[in-house]
Amino acid sequence: MTPVSDDRSRRDRISVTETGGPHNSFRGWWRRYNPLRVAVNYAVILVCRVSPSLRLKRWLLRRIGVTVGPGAVFALESTPDVFFPHLVTVEAHAIVGYDATILCHEFLQDEVRTGEVVVGEGAMVGAGAIVLPGVEIGPDAQVAANSLVAADVPAGATVAGVPAEPVE
């Protein structure tokens, strides 16, 4: 994991691909990404969302490219990125809570942004939280339920809200 304390911001870690044309960037996604690969990723993630077996989830998610540390937990209904699962890293003993979403892509009007998301060792992403591309959540950090994480979370910090901000 790249340390959260480095000088690079989330925006520096995001790749931007301009799509041009008269339509938004989501239109024609199948020309840029293999539809069969996305369909397989989606099917695997659907199984993982409803499976109570943590061991099965870790095994399946690793097959589609998610880096899952030992003892890491994806709770029921949690969703790693369908288009770019290989950009998701959840380190040892971290928790991705119920219905939390980790996004490694953003389809915007004229561009697609992609970036790796790292959930550090022992960190926790609360139920219903959304983590945006390029975000690094430091070791032992906590993200409150229903938060929108648009910036890095330092090690040991607790953040909450939309957008997520430090709380004491």
Side-chain angles (χ1 to χ4, degrees), residues 39-142:
V40 169
N41 293 347
Y42 186 74
V44 168
I45 290 168
L46 277 177
V47 170
C48 290
R49 284 176 52 92
V50 298
S51 173
S53 171
L54 300 177
R55 181 179 291 176
L56 176 63
K57 287 182 193 190
R58 284 191 296 267
W59 186 84
L60 285 171
L61 291 172
R62 287 175 182 139
R63 302 287 83 69
I64 63 169
V66 177
T67 301
V68 184
V73 172
F74 280 82
L76 286 172
E77 301 294 335
S78 61
T79 307
D81 194 278
V82 171
F83 282 91
F84 301 97
H86 61 282
L87 295 179
V88 176
T89 298
V90 179
E91 295 183 344
H93 308 291
I95 298 171
V96 178
Y98 178 85
D99 199 30
T101 302
I102 298 176
L103 293 174
C104 296
H105 76 280
E106 296 173 307
F107 286 107
L108 303 175
Q109 289 300 327
D110 297 324
E111 64 189 26
V112 178
R113 297 179 184 171
T114 58
E116 182 178 4
V117 172
V118 178
V119 179
E121 186 171 338
M124 184 196 75
V125 177
I130 299 172
V131 181
L132 295 181
V135 167
E136 294 180 357
I137 299 171
D140 300 314
Q142 298 180 19

